[in-house]
Amino acid sequence: MEIKKFTASALALILLSACGVVESAGNSSESRTSESTSTLSSTVSTKKVIDIVMQTVPKTDTTDTHTTTVNYITLPAADSAVRTEIVTVPENQPVTDSEPAITQTQPVAVPVHNISSDVTNHLAEMTLHEKVCQMFITVPEAINGYDTTTYVDCAFHGGYAQYPVGGLILFAKNIENSAQTSALTADMQYDAMYAGTGAFIATDEEGGAITRVQSQLGTEAVYNMNYYGELNDWNTAFSVGETIGSYLAEYGFNLDFAPVADVNISPYNELGSRIFSTDPQIVADMSGAVTDGLQSQGVCSTLKHFPGLGAGNNNTHYGSVWIDRTYEQLVGTEFVAFRGGINAGSDFVMVGHQITSASGDNLPGDLSHVVVTDWLRGELGFTGIAVTDSHSMGAISNVYTSSEAAVLAIEAGIDMILMPNSLTEAVSGVEQAVQSGRISEERINESLLRILEKKNELGLI
């Protein structure tokens, strides 16, 4: 602990004082101020400064074998909104909003296992604002206010000091060349570590047509996932995940929003060749193999888009999507597919925005307590990190405010919210919900334990 505090203090003096980001040594809970009046030299990477500092820190054995075992945390009853209309929206058609009604849900026992003392101690030192910020993954532009971010400067330093989010996601526009990408991810990670908790550095790298890194940097390419579904060979699918994980890790990424675990049910779904197969068992086997391959390289995998987009015939990027599936159909098809990656130990599951009829609440999946807690946690036994699909997509942003969507997602059981339309409004909305008693801080802590435990495994605490 003393070494971490020493390192943070040194970083504050050497790296961030030039940007006006000042913090008392060794106390990450004190208020931070920022002034974005100058930029760092583009010829000097933050990593070089960190390396100099780290040379002054004595080496030590950081292995901690002390753990505290918690069998179950019983959550208090949480409110969840129920929309009174189901609207199927064509592409580019806006959705009108109406005030959601409130209904009461029952307490659910959520398993949380083997939480280390490092994690519980770290959580105890965090402010509510820091906890809430950890529940968001954003684009870097939400931090610095730019249109495009390809390097870290004082605007990012100041913005991250105010909103130390749990993760950052990069797209093709953020990636120019190998050296620039490595510097960008390293510098963002060092800002996160200085703020107190390292960040998930994420991207969408499925292979085939959906790549951010390979398409920009020319790393080893893989085919669309339907090709590997036709092969139905575990070793080949594992090598796909291993290949992608290897080059992502090389460039500083530790989270991939892949693989797709949907089943190809409707020929009109929005995913097409991104899906392995029409056979749920093949999807289970192949997505499980890719999961293993990714995570063998130290990159977290993400099964998506629970409870399944494969039966849809519209696109959640543009508006609400209604999927007519009975619970029995889900159990026999979609749940079979997602179990493959869950049993393989996928670190994340992404819950989609589709409204699935069997849930009975007319809510997008990532805002539905039935989908997230009853099905994903209860039926499938998933104990990892549940993340939303992007909240800037039309299925959410056309219907809900950033604040409302974030609060409903957390009430549903979500741990991390991806790309809110307005980060400041979303964070403020969650904080107000806690302060009013609508969401308990214990509920926030439940998600933070999952997030911090995974970050501890990745060396980010």
Side-chain angles (χ1 to χ4, degrees):
M1 182 63 70
E2 287 75 17
I3 291 174
K4 290 181 181 179
K5 290 182 178 179
F6 171 84
T7 304
S9 301
L11 293 178
L13 293 173
I14 296 174
L15 175 62
L16 299 180
S17 60
C19 297
V21 180
V22 181
E23 181 178 30
S24 297
N27 188 347
S28 63
S29 297
E30 294 186 6
S31 61
R32 303 176 174 98
T33 58
S34 62
E35 181 182 358
S36 302
T37 57
S38 61
T39 59
L40 297 178
S41 168
S42 60
T43 61
V44 180
S45 169
T46 306
K47 185 177 187 301
K48 294 181 180 179
V49 180
I50 304 301
D51 290 341
I52 294 170
V53 174
M54 290 306 294
Q55 290 173 11
T56 69
V57 180
K59 294 182 179 180
T60 185
D61 182 3
T62 58
T63 303
D64 185 355
T65 58
H66 300 289
T67 60
T68 301
T69 302
V70 180
N71 291 325
Y72 286 94
I73 293 176
T74 301
L75 306 183
D79 291 334
S80 63
V82 177
R83 302 196 63 77
T84 57
E85 279 188 34
I86 301 168
V87 183
T88 302
V89 183
E91 295 186 359
N92 301 313
Q93 178 85 18
V95 182
T96 58
D97 190 21
S98 59
E99 187 67 23
I102 302 297
T103 185
Q104 193 74 12
T105 58
Q106 296 301 314
V108 175
V110 179
V112 181
H113 302 292
N114 299 325
I115 303 300
S116 71
S117 58
D118 280 349
V119 168
T120 55
N121 292 340
H122 191 82
L123 179 62
E125 294 174 354
M126 297 176 73
T127 66
L128 175 62
H129 179 70
E130 289 169 334
K131 292 177 186 179
V132 172
C133 285
Q134 279 295 304
M135 299 181 76
F136 290 89
I137 299 174
T138 71
V139 292
E141 291 79 14
I143 301 298
N144 58 21
Y146 295 165
D147 291 330
T148 300
T149 300
T150 56
Y151 59 91
V152 166
D153 63 6
C154 290
F156 187 90
H157 293 321
Y160 198 90
Q162 294 179 58
Y163 289 91
V165 293
L168 295 150
I169 179 171
L170 300 186
F171 289 86
K173 70 176 185 177
N174 304 117
I175 299 169
E176 294 179 332
N177 57 62
S178 295
Q180 169 270 332
T181 303
S182 294
L184 175 60
T185 58
D187 292 351
M188 291 191 306
Q189 190 63 268
Y190 288 125
D191 262 21
M193 292 295 288
Y194 165 69
T197 308
F200 293 121
I201 308 293
T203 193
D204 287 295
E205 197 79 3
E206 298 175 12
I210 306 300
T211 64
R212 316 302 186 197
V213 177
Q214 192 281 328
S215 62
Q216 295 295 98
L217 303 185
T219 56
E220 185 177 351
V222 300
Y223 297 114
N224 288 314
M225 293 305 103
N226 65 338
Y227 172 83
Y228 300 103
E230 291 175 5
L231 291 179
N232 192 21
D233 180 76
W234 191 94
N235 290 325
T236 303
F238 177 88
S239 71
V240 168
E242 188 178 38
T243 296
I244 294 173
S246 177
Y247 68 71
L248 288 183
E250 178 184 353
Y251 289 111
F253 295 92
N254 53 29
L255 171 59
D256 188 12
F257 290 128
V260 169
D262 301 287
V263 183
N264 200 356
I265 298 169
S266 167
Y268 306 108
N269 70 62
E270 63 184 87
L271 302 172
S273 61
R274 296 164 61 188
I275 301 178
F276 286 105
S277 179
T278 60
D279 184 329
Q281 191 57 55
I282 291 176
V283 175
D285 294 341
M286 295 301 96
S287 59
V290 172
T291 291
D292 279 340
L294 280 168
Q295 295 185 174
S296 75
Q297 302 302 304
V299 174
C300 299
S301 71
T302 309
L303 304 172
K304 59 186 187 184
H305 310 76
F306 188 81
L309 273 173
N313 59 6
N314 220 319
N315 194 318
T316 54
H317 285 82
Y318 307 114
S320 298
V321 172
W322 167 262
I323 294 181
D324 190 8
R325 299 287 282 172
T326 66
Y327 181 73
E328 290 72 23
Q329 287 175 316
L330 293 171
V331 168
T333 305
E334 286 92 334
F335 288 5
V336 171
F338 276 92
R339 271 201 176 90
I342 289 173
N343 291 342
S346 183
D347 293 319
F348 284 71
V349 169
M350 177 181 286
V351 184
H353 304 320
Q354 65 274 23
I355 301 169
T356 306
S357 61
S359 70
D361 54 18
N362 299 344
L363 285 167
D366 53 341
L367 309 187
S368 167
H369 190 273
V370 172
V371 171
V372 180
T373 299
D374 295 349
W375 293 352
L376 181 60
R377 299 288 188 202
E379 176 70 19
L380 296 182
F382 179 63
T383 59
I385 298 170
V387 62
T388 71
D389 206 342
S390 168
H391 271 197
S392 63
M393 291 164 61
I396 298 297
S397 62
N398 290 349
V399 182
Y400 304 91
T401 66
S402 296
S403 172
E404 181 184 27
V407 169
L408 290 174
I410 293 170
E411 288 180 328
I414 287 289
D415 300 308
M416 302 192 80
I417 296 152
L418 177 63
M419 295 171 59
N421 235 12
S422 170
L423 175 63
T424 57
E425 289 180 14
V427 170
S428 176
V430 175
E431 290 175 337
Q432 289 175 25
V434 174
Q435 291 159 2
S436 71
R438 178 175 177 178
I439 296 176
S440 70
E441 191 161 356
E442 288 73 21
R443 168 65 191 90
I444 301 297
N445 290 344
E446 178 221 328
S447 287
L448 262 291
L449 287 173
R450 293 194 184 100
I451 294 165
L452 295 177
E453 186 65 18
K454 179 49 58 180
K455 289 188 174 186
N456 192 43
E457 292 175 15
L458 296 173
L460 299 176
I461 293 178

